[in-house]
Amino acid sequence: MAPSAGHAHAFSRSRERVLGICAAGGDARALRVRLLREFRSVLGADAFAFLLTDPVTSVGCAPVAWVPVLPELPRLIRLKYLTRADRWTSLAGAAALSGLPEGERGPLWEELLRPAGVRDVASVVFRDRFGCWGFLDLWRYGAEFGAADLAYLDGVAGPVTEALRRAQAAAFPARPPGADRPGPLVLLLAPDLRVRGQTPGAPAYLAGLVPPEEGRAPVPAAAYNVAAQLLAHEAGVDANPPRARVHLADGLWLTLRAARIEDGPDTDGPPPSAREIAVTIEETTPADRLDFFCRAYALTGRETELLGHLADGADTGTVALAMSLSAHTVQDHLKSVFTKTGTRHRRALLARALGT
């Protein structure tokens, strides 16, 4: 059904406001909060989950969300990652579960959403040629999403993607001198993702990733996501590794990884699917940080290669030889990198890119 003139006007005005929000920028959390306020106003969504993702693995982290089934969050995330229908890793545009037959909507719908009274879920992914930067799920209880709703989300996906990528780029200030560098932290999860244990420093970092309400313990949503990706990988739903890089604060980037706990060689332990899952949290390596930095700033292949050589300590002559370019062309590429990243000299550029 075509939208009424009133609805079409409302969508058009909303697109203008979304463009203004995207142009204003801000940190990734504040940006998503403002966008969600607009999306909920024009689409009437009752619940939502707006996640950033690692641009390479597409694994979610740092969610801004409100879902009425919060006590079942580990189960929700596990089923989300095990559901193939409208999975953000394969979406080419906005889609709604109501567009699929009941029997094809997957375990998240069958086991949790439908019994909870959810009527429909609209999903949209924010992806460009540099990677996947986030995805959004909007829930409705009273009505299904229509074609006009999905066309609206499709129409704003491009500018939102660019804004999310720019927000991630802005999270690369140089680390303050003498800043703390966390050692490896560990959360131990049961196969159903319930927390079994954690090292003493873990709660403080989890609170930084998803700030909890006052007086409440931090919700380890980022750990749930990488662990759920491990389950999806094991089930053949998605081949990406269970790993995500996420900004914490003050230029500190963390990498979360999930793996099964192995039994000893002489132990007849439970099958792999019944073993506990260890989620490790540690500072992102300079190489992984550099990769994210180059993607976030939309550097070209040549510019990324150049920055890699500089990170290895090469001077202009060595870079020119390695890239089969003239020294003049290397300088032109470097000037372009300075312009894109807002830096003026190599030392500042490398300090931001590598975190050293």
Side-chain angles (χ1 to χ4, degrees), residues 31 45 51 104 113 206 246 272 295 302 313 340-341:
L31 171 66
L51 282 77
E104 298 179 11
L113 298 186
L206 292 170
V246 58
R295 292 173 184 275
R302 278 301 212 183
K340 289 181 178 180
T341 59

Side-chain angles (χ1 to χ4, degrees), residues 13-279:
R13 293 294 302 274
S14 179
R15 288 189 190 98
E16 293 175 6
R17 291 192 293 270
V18 168
L19 290 176
I21 293 169
C22 291
D27 69 78
R29 185 174 185 83
L31 171 66
R32 286 177 290 155
V33 168
R34 294 196 299 271
L35 287 170
L36 279 165
R37 189 178 298 121
E38 180 62 31
F39 293 154
R40 295 188 72 194
S41 173
V42 73
L43 293 173
D46 299 302
F48 56 85
F50 196 166
L51 282 77
L52 301 177
T53 53
D54 184 295
V56 175
T57 67
S58 301
V59 175
C61 55
V64 175
W66 185 85
V67 292
V69 292
L70 186 60
E72 295 192 77
L73 187 62
R75 183 177 174 221
L76 186 154
I77 294 175
R78 176 174 60 83
L79 293 173
K80 170 72 176 174
Y81 276 76
L82 291 174
T83 294
R84 289 182 168 88
D86 291 345
R87 201 175 196 274
W88 69 100
T89 50
S90 57
L91 276 181
L97 282 182
S98 58
L100 297 171
E102 280 273 351
E104 298 179 11
R105 296 181 186 180
L108 178 59
W109 173 259
E110 298 293 343
E111 298 181 31
L112 185 58
L113 298 186
R114 184 173 63 174
V118 175
R119 180 71 178 275
D120 201 4
V121 179
S123 301
V124 60
V125 64
F126 304 106
R127 182 190 296 112
D128 61 17
R129 64 192 181 92
F130 300 101
C132 179
W133 301 99
F135 67 87
L136 169 65
D137 286 343
L138 298 171
W139 298 10
R140 274 185 184 171
Y141 284 86
E144 295 179 350
F145 290 94
D149 300 319
L150 301 181
Y152 164 81
L153 288 172
D154 271 338
V156 299
V160 171
T161 300
E162 184 176 355
L164 290 174
R165 182 172 50 74
R166 288 199 312 265
Q168 293 286 64
F172 279 94
R175 295 279 285 137
D180 290 338
R181 297 189 177 276
L185 307 168
V186 180
L187 273 81
L188 192 63
L189 305 182
D192 63 1
L193 305 192
R194 290 177 297 108
V195 177
R196 287 271 180 84
Q198 54 192 333
T199 51
Y205 286 94
L206 292 170
L209 293 175
V210 183
E213 295 180 9
E214 187 173 354
R216 300 190 65 174
V219 177
Y224 292 155
N225 274 264
V226 292
Q229 177 61 25
L230 174 65
L231 301 182
H233 188 280
E234 292 174 344
V237 173
D238 185 83
N240 286 325
R243 177 176 66 92
R245 294 164 290 183
V246 58
H247 177 245
L248 182 66
D250 299 325
L252 174 61
W253 283 78
L254 302 175
T255 297
L256 290 86
R257 292 182 175 85
R260 293 281 186 181
I261 296 294
E262 294 287 345
D263 289 319
D266 299 323
T267 302
D268 293 328
S273 61
R275 293 173 185 164
E276 294 178 323
I277 298 170
V279 176

Side-chain angles (χ1 to χ4, degrees), residues 304-319:
T304 298
E305 182 182 357
L306 165 63
L307 195 48
H309 289 302
L310 295 181
D312 289 337
D315 58 21
T316 299
T318 304
V319 172

